[in-house]
Amino acid sequence: MRPVAVVAATAVTAQGIGWRGLGKAVRAGDTAATSCKALGGVLAAQVPALPTAQDVEPRLLKLMSRGARLSCVAARSLFQESPTLPREETGFFLGVGASGGAMEELEAMLDASFLEQHFDLGRFGTGGLGACNPLFAFQLMNNYTLCHAAIREGLRGPNAAIFSRGSGTVLALAEARHTVAVGDCEVALSGGADSALHPVTWAELSREEGAGVVPGEGAALLALAAPGHAQPLGFLNRCEVHPGQQGLAPALESARRSLDALEPECVVLTATPNRREAARELALPVCPESVFDASALFGESLAASAALATVAALDLLQDGAIRRAAVLVVGPDGDVGLVGLAREVVS
């Protein structure tokens, strides 16, 4: 297969729009968490007001979840910064999160679906679906996080939306890398978009992960291409997932061998609080002085976490001091994702 270069990148984070400087912020241990009014004052890494130049047109907002809106803003930002990127045949592979529809529509649907204090599937079919606006479906279908951005930017190449609670986004990067490497398309966008600030998502996250997790939101995209298409920012050398069905320890042990083979000069990790120490123990022997935790800056951004950590690692390659970087992803799904980046092509 052909090597695959990263020729453009973008990010939408609690620090605003742009990916330059994110690696330095992660290395410095910065945090962007602030009190979130929508979640009762808990600390959250929430994206600030979106600029009109990239934001979605108001008439389309009722069709979109928060993740879809962030995906659209990231894609628009990428093409504005890199206007020579092709669109017609460009692929798009995105890690996407759960539904994030309007709460008033969800409450109306549930109110009409309960019987004697229990959710009733029959009432859901006869009353619940009719209690909400039909356009609510576009907010609930998580593949529309990809679809809205693809339609808005006119992307018609191969594509896939992959559900992600961490490692799924690494699979999206792997799909995009393979598609470009085998020549199915010359350019493919890949990354993730999600928000853990939706009340339902936050409730799920806090129930499963307990106290200490800081919810976040964001989106990040990489444009991948065969070498020679544009000036490379780096090369995507490895994208793999080590399943955690047998437990976290075997998955980490499996990832250890791949991490050693990468010989990274730094590791950017993103992990939930109860898995963070195990992830650090895996990375520290490889890079004793260069393990950087992206979770503090981005929060737990679910499908966006791996992509945000990857653009931060890409930023660290840009000053020339680091030649190889690894991204270690240990999200709520319990799988272990690993991404390898290098400044120069590796045969």
Side-chain angles (χ1 to χ4, degrees):
M1 294 191 298
R2 301 182 296 181
V4 174
V6 181
V7 298
T10 192
V12 183
T13 73
Q15 294 198 321
I17 295 178
W19 66 284
R20 303 275 187 178
L22 292 181
K24 297 174 182 61
V26 167
R27 181 164 52 192
D30 292 350
T31 177
T34 58
S35 176
C36 178
K37 184 178 179 181
L39 296 181
V42 303
L43 290 178
Q46 52 191 329
V47 173
L50 295 164
T52 304
Q54 289 88 25
D55 200 5
V56 174
E57 296 75 10
R59 64 183 176 82
L60 297 177
L61 286 177
K62 61 185 176 184
L63 303 176
M64 295 189 186
S65 65
R66 179 68 171 172
R69 185 177 180 182
L70 296 173
S71 171
C72 285
V73 170
R76 179 59 53 89
S77 172
L78 186 75
F79 282 106
Q80 287 177 340
E81 292 181 16
S82 305
T84 60
L85 283 175
R87 297 179 188 238
E88 184 76 11
E89 303 298 330
T90 291
F92 195 13
F93 299 84
L94 192 68
V96 301
S99 304
M103 285 302 296
E104 58 269 26
E105 297 285 353
L106 179 62
E107 289 170 352
M109 186 172 65
L110 291 176
D111 285 345
S113 303
F114 269 63
L115 178 64
E116 297 178 352
Q117 299 185 329
H118 294 284
F119 181 81
D120 184 87
L121 192 59
R123 288 182 67 93
F124 172 69
T126 57
L129 291 176
C132 62
N133 190 318
L135 295 177
F136 187 48
F138 291 99
Q139 299 177 19
L140 292 180
M141 291 187 287
N142 47 19
N143 60 314
Y144 266 72
T145 301
L146 176 145
C147 294
H148 283 301
I151 293 168
R152 192 177 187 223
E153 302 302 332
L155 310 181
R156 299 182 181 181
N159 60 80
I162 300 175
F163 180 74
S164 174
R165 279 292 185 260
S167 62
T169 302
V170 179
L171 288 178
L173 287 166
E175 287 281 343
R177 177 173 177 257
H178 178 79
T179 301
V180 172
V182 300
D184 285 347
C185 62
E186 286 300 310
V187 176
L189 309 187
S190 186
D194 205 352
S195 175
L197 273 60
H198 189 280
V200 174
T201 308
W202 167 235
E204 172 201 347
L205 188 62
S206 56
R207 181 183 66 243
E208 295 184 359
E209 299 299 325
V213 62
V214 175
E217 63 177 359
L221 295 174
L222 305 174
L224 308 180
H229 191 279
Q231 183 67 29
L233 298 165
F235 292 85
L236 190 61
N237 290 335
R238 190 181 294 254
C239 305
E240 57 189 40
V241 173
H242 302 265
Q245 296 99 324
Q246 304 302 318
L248 181 59
L252 287 169
E253 182 56 34
S254 177
R256 183 190 307 278
R257 292 188 287 273
S258 294
L259 186 60
D260 288 341
L262 279 174
E263 298 181 333
E265 295 169 303
C266 75
V267 177
V268 177
L269 69 85
T270 176
T272 53
N274 58 9
R275 300 176 179 89
R276 194 167 299 150
E277 191 55 36
R280 285 184 59 82
E281 289 179 0
L282 172 66
L284 280 172
V286 182
C287 299
E289 298 180 355
S290 300
V291 177
F292 309 125
D293 185 357
S295 311
L297 185 64
F298 304 127
E300 178 49 65
S301 302
L302 302 171
S305 291
L308 293 170
T310 301
V311 296
L314 182 69
D315 182 53
L316 288 170
L317 294 180
Q318 303 310 303
D319 65 7
I322 293 175
R323 295 169 297 169
R324 297 180 299 277
V327 177
L328 188 60
V329 182
V330 192
D333 59 8
D335 295 338
V336 178
L338 185 64
V339 177
L341 291 165
R343 204 171 65 228
E344 299 174 350
V345 65
V346 177
S347 59

